[in-house]
Amino acid sequence: MRTRNFFSGFLLGIGFVAFIDEAIFHQLLHWHHFYDKSVTAVGLISDGLFHAFSWFATVAALFMYADVRRHHAYLKGVWWGGFFIGAGGFQLYDGIIQHKLMRIHQIRYDVNILPYDLTWNILAFLMVIVGIILMRSNKRNQGGIKQYESQ
């Protein structure tokens, strides 16, 4: 159940960050589309597919979370560690792979991009670190013995 706790949090972290990215940067601020190397219509379709991906990750995470709770096997530190590792990992992937290596979009255009890139990637790195700390503290608190929290 430790793995299921982790992946439930991990998928919800990915879904949450993807949703925030889509809602804020794509829809409200209009800074970019998921795919900016074509016409606006293609960008909007790519945004829709990205949005669907975020909801599939969220729904899968919630089913896994419900299963963990049903088995009274919720591990708070593992779950939240997975959440932050998923959120930060996805944001790092977006910031490094999609923005810089693949260049399918940038955070913003026609501005000095360095402060945006630094903020995006430093926050992502910090989320991963928080997730690792939570995972380690949960393992240390268990003392090698499986204990389940139930609320």
Side-chain angles (χ1 to χ4, degrees):
M1 283 305 206
R2 183 178 175 84
T3 302
R4 189 169 292 265
N5 270 274
F6 173 79
F7 279 109
S8 171
F10 183 81
L11 284 174
L12 192 64
I14 290 173
F16 178 76
V17 165
F19 173 77
I20 295 298
D21 183 12
E22 168 68 25
I24 293 174
F25 300 111
H26 297 216
Q27 294 176 6
L28 296 175
L29 297 175
H30 300 273
W31 282 2
H32 64 264
H33 295 293
F34 180 74
Y35 184 75
D36 274 339
K37 291 188 165 196
S38 187
V39 297
T40 301
V42 171
L44 289 171
I45 290 169
S46 70
D47 286 348
L49 293 172
F50 179 54
H51 194 64
F53 162 78
S54 74
W55 280 107
F56 285 133
T58 300
V59 169
L62 293 174
F63 272 105
M64 291 174 79
Y65 179 77
D67 186 52
V68 164
R69 295 303 294 221
R70 183 173 54 85
H71 285 95
H72 303 288
Y74 175 65
L75 299 167
K76 187 163 111 177
V78 173
W79 193 90
W80 280 105
F83 178 88
F84 281 105
I85 291 170
F90 181 79
Q91 193 167 321
L92 268 178
Y93 164 78
D94 185 39
I96 294 170
I97 304 298
Q98 292 181 351
H99 294 179
K100 299 303 167 202
L101 296 177
M102 295 172 66
R103 297 190 165 275
I104 62 173
H105 67 265
Q106 293 297 322
I107 296 173
R108 280 195 83 175
Y109 295 95
D110 302 323
V111 296
N112 177 9
I113 196 71
L114 183 62
Y116 292 93
D117 283 339
L118 288 174
T119 301
W120 189 264
N121 291 317
I122 289 170
L123 285 173
F125 181 74
L126 290 174
M127 284 190 280
V128 170
I129 296 300
V130 166
I132 291 169
I133 290 168
L134 287 168
M135 294 284 293
R136 284 191 175 177
S137 69
N138 184 267
K139 198 171 199 173
R140 196 171 38 250
N141 290 340
Q142 287 183 356
I145 301 170
K146 282 194 174 184
Q147 296 175 353
Y148 298 120
E149 281 183 18
S150 99
Q151 294 179 0

mmCIF file of all heavy atoms in Angstrom, residues 92-123:
data_model
loop_
_atom_site.group_PDB
_atom_site.id
_atom_site.type_symbol
_atom_site.label_atom_id
_atom_site.label_comp_id
_atom_site.label_asym_id
_atom_site.label_seq_id
_atom_site.Cartn_x
_atom_site.Cartn_y
_atom_site.Cartn_z
ATOM 1 N N LEU A 92 9.292 20.516 -13.428
ATOM 2 C CA LEU A 92 10.680 20.470 -13.918
ATOM 3 C C LEU A 92 10.735 19.918 -15.339
ATOM 4 O O LEU A 92 11.457 20.444 -16.186
ATOM 5 C CB LEU A 92 11.545 19.602 -13.006
ATOM 6 C CG LEU A 92 12.265 20.303 -11.868
ATOM 7 C CD1 LEU A 92 13.031 19.300 -11.021
ATOM 8 C CD2 LEU A 92 13.180 21.395 -12.366
ATOM 9 N N TYR A 93 9.979 18.850 -15.588
ATOM 10 C CA TYR A 93 9.910 18.291 -16.940
ATOM 11 C C TYR A 93 9.427 19.354 -17.923
ATOM 12 O O TYR A 93 10.018 19.550 -18.984
ATOM 13 C CB TYR A 93 8.972 17.077 -16.966
ATOM 14 C CG TYR A 93 8.557 16.680 -18.352
ATOM 15 C CD1 TYR A 93 9.419 15.965 -19.171
ATOM 16 C CD2 TYR A 93 7.312 17.049 -18.852
ATOM 17 C CE1 TYR A 93 9.048 15.614 -20.459
ATOM 18 C CE2 TYR A 93 6.931 16.709 -20.137
ATOM 19 C CZ TYR A 93 7.799 16.002 -20.940
ATOM 20 O OH TYR A 93 7.437 15.667 -22.211
ATOM 21 N N ASP A 94 8.374 20.073 -17.559
ATOM 22 C CA ASP A 94 7.838 21.121 -18.422
ATOM 23 C C ASP A 94 8.879 22.211 -18.655
ATOM 24 O O ASP A 94 9.128 22.611 -19.784
ATOM 25 C CB ASP A 94 6.559 21.704 -17.799
ATOM 26 C CG ASP A 94 5.855 22.712 -18.687
ATOM 27 O OD1 ASP A 94 5.798 22.494 -19.924
ATOM 28 O OD2 ASP A 94 5.349 23.709 -18.156
ATOM 29 N N GLY A 95 9.491 22.673 -17.570
ATOM 30 C CA GLY A 95 10.430 23.793 -17.666
ATOM 31 C C GLY A 95 11.717 23.460 -18.395
ATOM 32 O O GLY A 95 12.276 24.303 -19.096
ATOM 33 N N ILE A 96 12.212 22.250 -18.238
ATOM 34 C CA ILE A 96 13.491 21.887 -18.856
ATOM 35 C C ILE A 96 13.292 21.212 -20.212
ATOM 36 O O ILE A 96 13.861 21.637 -21.218
ATOM 37 C CB ILE A 96 14.317 20.988 -17.911
ATOM 38 C CG1 ILE A 96 14.716 21.790 -16.664
ATOM 39 C CG2 ILE A 96 15.556 20.444 -18.625
ATOM 40 C CD1 ILE A 96 15.326 20.975 -15.562
ATOM 41 N N ILE A 97 12.470 20.169 -20.247
ATOM 42 C CA ILE A 97 12.313 19.394 -21.490
ATOM 43 C C ILE A 97 11.462 20.145 -22.512
ATOM 44 O O ILE A 97 11.885 20.383 -23.639
ATOM 45 C CB ILE A 97 11.701 17.997 -21.205
ATOM 46 C CG1 ILE A 97 12.535 17.229 -20.184
ATOM 47 C CG2 ILE A 97 11.525 17.211 -22.509
ATOM 48 C CD1 ILE A 97 13.949 16.922 -20.592
ATOM 49 N N GLN A 98 10.241 20.533 -22.100
ATOM 50 C CA GLN A 98 9.333 21.158 -23.067
ATOM 51 C C GLN A 98 9.732 22.592 -23.408
ATOM 52 O O GLN A 98 9.661 22.990 -24.567
ATOM 53 C CB GLN A 98 7.902 21.118 -22.551
ATOM 54 C CG GLN A 98 7.347 19.722 -22.493
ATOM 55 C CD GLN A 98 5.916 19.686 -21.997
ATOM 56 O OE1 GLN A 98 5.367 20.681 -21.537
ATOM 57 N NE2 GLN A 98 5.310 18.518 -22.091
ATOM 58 N N HIS A 99 10.152 23.372 -22.416
ATOM 59 C CA HIS A 99 10.491 24.773 -22.689
ATOM 60 C C HIS A 99 11.849 24.905 -23.368
ATOM 61 O O HIS A 99 11.992 25.676 -24.319
ATOM 62 C CB HIS A 99 10.512 25.597 -21.403
ATOM 63 C CG HIS A 99 9.184 25.741 -20.743
ATOM 64 N ND1 HIS A 99 9.020 26.438 -19.571
ATOM 65 C CD2 HIS A 99 7.953 25.261 -21.047
ATOM 66 C CE1 HIS A 99 7.761 26.398 -19.192
ATOM 67 N NE2 HIS A 99 7.091 25.683 -20.074
ATOM 68 N N LYS A 100 12.856 24.201 -22.875
ATOM 69 C CA LYS A 100 14.221 24.434 -23.349
ATOM 70 C C LYS A 100 14.695 23.436 -24.400
ATOM 71 O O LYS A 100 15.272 23.838 -25.395
ATOM 72 C CB LYS A 100 15.196 24.447 -22.157
ATOM 73 C CG LYS A 100 14.887 25.547 -21.173
ATOM 74 C CD LYS A 100 14.899 26.885 -21.887
ATOM 75 C CE LYS A 100 14.299 27.984 -21.058
ATOM 76 N NZ LYS A 100 13.843 29.111 -21.859
ATOM 77 N N LEU A 101 14.487 22.147 -24.172
ATOM 78 C CA LEU A 101 15.005 21.168 -25.126
ATOM 79 C C LEU A 101 14.112 21.011 -26.353
ATOM 80 O O LEU A 101 14.596 21.065 -27.487
ATOM 81 C CB LEU A 101 15.219 19.817 -24.435
ATOM 82 C CG LEU A 101 16.269 19.814 -23.320
ATOM 83 C CD1 LEU A 101 16.355 18.445 -22.663
ATOM 84 C CD2 LEU A 101 17.622 20.236 -23.853
ATOM 85 N N MET A 102 12.815 20.798 -26.134
ATOM 86 C CA MET A 102 11.894 20.610 -27.261
ATOM 87 C C MET A 102 11.420 21.942 -27.846
ATOM 88 O O MET A 102 11.020 21.992 -29.005
ATOM 89 C CB MET A 102 10.685 19.775 -26.815
ATOM 90 C CG MET A 102 11.053 18.357 -26.424
ATOM 91 S SD MET A 102 9.667 17.453 -25.686
ATOM 92 C CE MET A 102 8.551 17.335 -27.060
ATOM 93 N N ARG A 103 11.417 22.978 -27.019
ATOM 94 C CA ARG A 103 10.979 24.327 -27.422
ATOM 95 C C ARG A 103 9.559 24.341 -28.020
ATOM 96 O O ARG A 103 9.295 25.044 -28.988
ATOM 97 C CB ARG A 103 11.968 24.965 -28.383
ATOM 98 C CG ARG A 103 13.332 25.177 -27.779
ATOM 99 C CD ARG A 103 14.212 26.032 -28.672
ATOM 100 N NE ARG A 103 15.367 26.506 -27.959
ATOM 101 C CZ ARG A 103 15.400 27.595 -27.189
ATOM 102 N NH1 ARG A 103 14.335 28.324 -27.042
ATOM 103 N NH2 ARG A 103 16.499 27.953 -26.569
ATOM 104 N N ILE A 104 8.651 23.531 -27.420
ATOM 105 C CA ILE A 104 7.282 23.529 -27.945
ATOM 106 C C ILE A 104 6.483 24.729 -27.445
ATOM 107 O O ILE A 104 5.470 25.077 -28.032
ATOM 108 C CB ILE A 104 6.542 22.205 -27.649
ATOM 109 C CG1 ILE A 104 6.400 21.954 -26.160
ATOM 110 C CG2 ILE A 104 7.242 21.043 -28.324
ATOM 111 C CD1 ILE A 104 5.528 20.745 -25.837
ATOM 112 N N HIS A 105 6.949 25.333 -26.355
ATOM 113 C CA HIS A 105 6.413 26.606 -25.889
ATOM 114 C C HIS A 105 7.349 27.184 -24.838
ATOM 115 O O HIS A 105 8.210 26.489 -24.330
ATOM 116 C CB HIS A 105 4.984 26.471 -25.332
ATOM 117 C CG HIS A 105 4.896 25.668 -24.063
ATOM 118 N ND1 HIS A 105 4.594 24.321 -24.068
ATOM 119 C CD2 HIS A 105 5.072 26.013 -22.762
ATOM 120 C CE1 HIS A 105 4.576 23.878 -22.821
ATOM 121 N NE2 HIS A 105 4.870 24.886 -22.006
ATOM 122 N N GLN A 106 7.185 28.471 -24.551
ATOM 123 C CA GLN A 106 7.900 29.139 -23.474
ATOM 124 C C GLN A 106 6.857 29.597 -22.460
ATOM 125 O O GLN A 106 5.664 29.595 -22.742
ATOM 126 C CB GLN A 106 8.681 30.348 -23.989
ATOM 127 C CG GLN A 106 9.825 29.994 -24.901
ATOM 128 C CD GLN A 106 10.895 29.158 -24.208
ATOM 129 O OE1 GLN A 106 11.223 29.362 -23.039
ATOM 130 N NE2 GLN A 106 11.427 28.192 -24.926
ATOM 131 N N ILE A 107 7.302 30.006 -21.289
ATOM 132 C CA ILE A 107 6.348 30.518 -20.301
ATOM 133 C C ILE A 107 5.698 31.786 -20.837
ATOM 134 O O ILE A 107 4.478 31.941 -20.787
ATOM 135 C CB ILE A 107 7.039 30.796 -18.956
ATOM 136 C CG1 ILE A 107 7.565 29.499 -18.362
ATOM 137 C CG2 ILE A 107 6.066 31.477 -17.984
ATOM 138 C CD1 ILE A 107 8.416 29.681 -17.118
ATOM 139 N N ARG A 108 6.530 32.684 -21.336
ATOM 140 C CA ARG A 108 6.056 33.947 -21.917
ATOM 141 C C ARG A 108 6.864 34.264 -23.140
ATOM 142 O O ARG A 108 7.948 33.738 -23.342
ATOM 143 C CB ARG A 108 6.228 35.100 -20.922
ATOM 144 C CG ARG A 108 5.146 35.167 -19.894
ATOM 145 C CD ARG A 108 5.156 36.479 -19.180
ATOM 146 N NE ARG A 108 4.436 37.481 -19.966
ATOM 147 C CZ ARG A 108 4.201 38.701 -19.542
ATOM 148 N NH1 ARG A 108 4.641 39.080 -18.359
ATOM 149 N NH2 ARG A 108 3.537 39.547 -20.276
ATOM 150 N N TYR A 109 6.359 35.180 -23.930
ATOM 151 C CA TYR A 109 7.062 35.638 -25.116
ATOM 152 C C TYR A 109 7.247 37.144 -25.040
ATOM 153 O O TYR A 109 6.508 37.851 -24.364
ATOM 154 C CB TYR A 109 6.283 35.252 -26.381
ATOM 155 C CG TYR A 109 6.206 33.753 -26.579
ATOM 156 C CD1 TYR A 109 5.099 33.037 -26.135
ATOM 157 C CD2 TYR A 109 7.245 33.058 -27.171
ATOM 158 C CE1 TYR A 109 5.028 31.666 -26.295
ATOM 159 C CE2 TYR A 109 7.188 31.673 -27.330
ATOM 160 C CZ TYR A 109 6.078 30.994 -26.892
ATOM 161 O OH TYR A 109 6.010 29.636 -27.040
ATOM 162 N N ASP A 110 8.233 37.635 -25.763
ATOM 163 C CA ASP A 110 8.513 39.070 -25.888
ATOM 164 C C ASP A 110 8.857 39.734 -24.557
ATOM 165 O O ASP A 110 8.525 40.900 -24.340
ATOM 166 C CB ASP A 110 7.337 39.801 -26.565
ATOM 167 C CG ASP A 110 7.041 39.226 -27.948
ATOM 168 O OD1 ASP A 110 8.005 38.858 -28.653
ATOM 169 O OD2 ASP A 110 5.861 39.136 -28.295
ATOM 170 N N VAL A 111 9.464 38.984 -23.645
ATOM 171 C CA VAL A 111 9.959 39.529 -22.384
ATOM 172 C C VAL A 111 11.298 38.855 -22.086
ATOM 173 O O VAL A 111 11.658 37.870 -22.728
ATOM 174 C CB VAL A 111 8.988 39.267 -21.199
ATOM 175 C CG1 VAL A 111 7.663 39.971 -21.390
ATOM 176 C CG2 VAL A 111 8.788 37.785 -20.976
ATOM 177 N N ASN A 112 12.009 39.358 -21.097
ATOM 178 C CA ASN A 112 13.212 38.683 -20.625
ATOM 179 C C ASN A 112 12.757 37.407 -19.923
ATOM 180 O O ASN A 112 12.171 37.452 -18.845
ATOM 181 C CB ASN A 112 14.002 39.586 -19.679
ATOM 182 C CG ASN A 112 15.229 38.909 -19.113
ATOM 183 O OD1 ASN A 112 15.622 37.815 -19.529
ATOM 184 N ND2 ASN A 112 15.865 39.569 -18.162
ATOM 185 N N ILE A 113 13.027 36.272 -20.509
ATOM 186 C CA ILE A 113 12.484 34.996 -20.033
ATOM 187 C C ILE A 113 13.229 34.449 -18.815
ATOM 188 O O ILE A 113 12.692 33.618 -18.073
ATOM 189 C CB ILE A 113 12.455 33.966 -21.200
ATOM 190 C CG1 ILE A 113 11.555 32.775 -20.880
ATOM 191 C CG2 ILE A 113 13.841 33.486 -21.536
ATOM 192 C CD1 ILE A 113 10.117 33.080 -20.875
ATOM 193 N N LEU A 114 14.448 34.901 -18.571
ATOM 194 C CA LEU A 114 15.266 34.335 -17.500
ATOM 195 C C LEU A 114 14.598 34.360 -16.127
ATOM 196 O O LEU A 114 14.568 33.324 -15.447
ATOM 197 C CB LEU A 114 16.642 35.012 -17.446
ATOM 198 C CG LEU A 114 17.607 34.438 -16.411
ATOM 199 C CD1 LEU A 114 17.919 32.977 -16.714
ATOM 200 C CD2 LEU A 114 18.871 35.267 -16.361
ATOM 201 N N PRO A 115 14.016 35.475 -15.675
ATOM 202 C CA PRO A 115 13.355 35.448 -14.354
ATOM 203 C C PRO A 115 12.190 34.448 -14.290
ATOM 204 O O PRO A 115 11.986 33.799 -13.264
ATOM 205 C CB PRO A 115 12.841 36.876 -14.156
ATOM 206 C CG PRO A 115 13.582 37.709 -15.127
ATOM 207 C CD PRO A 115 14.005 36.811 -16.246
ATOM 208 N N TYR A 116 11.463 34.296 -15.385
ATOM 209 C CA TYR A 116 10.346 33.346 -15.430
ATOM 210 C C TYR A 116 10.875 31.911 -15.354
ATOM 211 O O TYR A 116 10.343 31.083 -14.619
ATOM 212 C CB TYR A 116 9.522 33.543 -16.707
ATOM 213 C CG TYR A 116 8.778 34.848 -16.732
ATOM 214 C CD1 TYR A 116 9.333 35.979 -17.327
ATOM 215 C CD2 TYR A 116 7.513 34.961 -16.163
ATOM 216 C CE1 TYR A 116 8.652 37.178 -17.346
ATOM 217 C CE2 TYR A 116 6.822 36.155 -16.180
ATOM 218 C CZ TYR A 116 7.404 37.267 -16.770
ATOM 219 O OH TYR A 116 6.720 38.454 -16.786
ATOM 220 N N ASP A 117 11.913 31.624 -16.140
ATOM 221 C CA ASP A 117 12.493 30.281 -16.130
ATOM 222 C C ASP A 117 13.063 29.930 -14.758
ATOM 223 O O ASP A 117 12.855 28.827 -14.260
ATOM 224 C CB ASP A 117 13.598 30.158 -17.183
ATOM 225 C CG ASP A 117 13.065 30.007 -18.595
ATOM 226 O OD1 ASP A 117 11.893 29.602 -18.748
ATOM 227 O OD2 ASP A 117 13.825 30.291 -19.537
ATOM 228 N N LEU A 118 13.787 30.866 -14.161
ATOM 229 C CA LEU A 118 14.368 30.612 -12.844
ATOM 230 C C LEU A 118 13.281 30.364 -11.800
ATOM 231 O O LEU A 118 13.369 29.409 -11.028
ATOM 232 C CB LEU A 118 15.268 31.779 -12.412
ATOM 233 C CG LEU A 118 16.591 31.900 -13.160
ATOM 234 C CD1 LEU A 118 17.321 33.174 -12.735
ATOM 235 C CD2 LEU A 118 17.462 30.672 -12.950
ATOM 236 N N THR A 119 12.267 31.201 -11.792
ATOM 237 C CA THR A 119 11.173 31.040 -10.822
ATOM 238 C C THR A 119 10.481 29.697 -11.017
ATOM 239 O O THR A 119 10.253 28.957 -10.056
ATOM 240 C CB THR A 119 10.154 32.191 -10.966
ATOM 241 O OG1 THR A 119 10.829 33.430 -10.743
ATOM 242 C CG2 THR A 119 9.013 32.045 -9.976
ATOM 243 N N TRP A 120 10.148 29.369 -12.260
ATOM 244 C CA TRP A 120 9.448 28.129 -12.591
ATOM 245 C C TRP A 120 10.243 26.907 -12.132
ATOM 246 O O TRP A 120 9.709 26.031 -11.453
ATOM 247 C CB TRP A 120 9.224 28.079 -14.102
ATOM 248 C CG TRP A 120 8.340 26.982 -14.564
ATOM 249 C CD1 TRP A 120 8.721 25.752 -15.029
ATOM 250 C CD2 TRP A 120 6.916 26.998 -14.630
ATOM 251 N NE1 TRP A 120 7.627 25.010 -15.374
ATOM 252 C CE2 TRP A 120 6.503 25.759 -15.139
ATOM 253 C CE3 TRP A 120 5.951 27.950 -14.306
ATOM 254 C CZ2 TRP A 120 5.170 25.437 -15.335
ATOM 255 C CZ3 TRP A 120 4.628 27.635 -14.509
ATOM 256 C CH2 TRP A 120 4.248 26.388 -15.017
ATOM 257 N N ASN A 121 11.525 26.872 -12.491
ATOM 258 C CA ASN A 121 12.336 25.693 -12.212
ATOM 259 C C ASN A 121 12.788 25.619 -10.759
ATOM 260 O O ASN A 121 12.883 24.521 -10.199
ATOM 261 C CB ASN A 121 13.520 25.622 -13.177
ATOM 262 C CG ASN A 121 13.062 25.312 -14.586
ATOM 263 O OD1 ASN A 121 12.214 24.464 -14.796
ATOM 264 N ND2 ASN A 121 13.608 26.011 -15.557
ATOM 265 N N ILE A 122 13.048 26.741 -10.115
ATOM 266 C CA ILE A 122 13.423 26.718 -8.698
ATOM 267 C C ILE A 122 12.243 26.261 -7.846
ATOM 268 O O ILE A 122 12.401 25.439 -6.943
ATOM 269 C CB ILE A 122 13.968 28.093 -8.242
ATOM 270 C CG1 ILE A 122 15.352 28.325 -8.865
ATOM 271 C CG2 ILE A 122 14.032 28.183 -6.721
ATOM 272 C CD1 ILE A 122 15.894 29.729 -8.684
ATOM 273 N N LEU A 123 11.046 26.769 -8.138
ATOM 274 C CA LEU A 123 9.855 26.303 -7.405
ATOM 275 C C LEU A 123 9.636 24.805 -7.612
ATOM 276 O O LEU A 123 9.304 24.081 -6.669
ATOM 277 C CB LEU A 123 8.615 27.078 -7.836
ATOM 278 C CG LEU A 123 8.496 28.503 -7.303
ATOM 279 C CD1 LEU A 123 7.308 29.220 -7.930
ATOM 280 C CD2 LEU A 123 8.385 28.506 -5.792
#
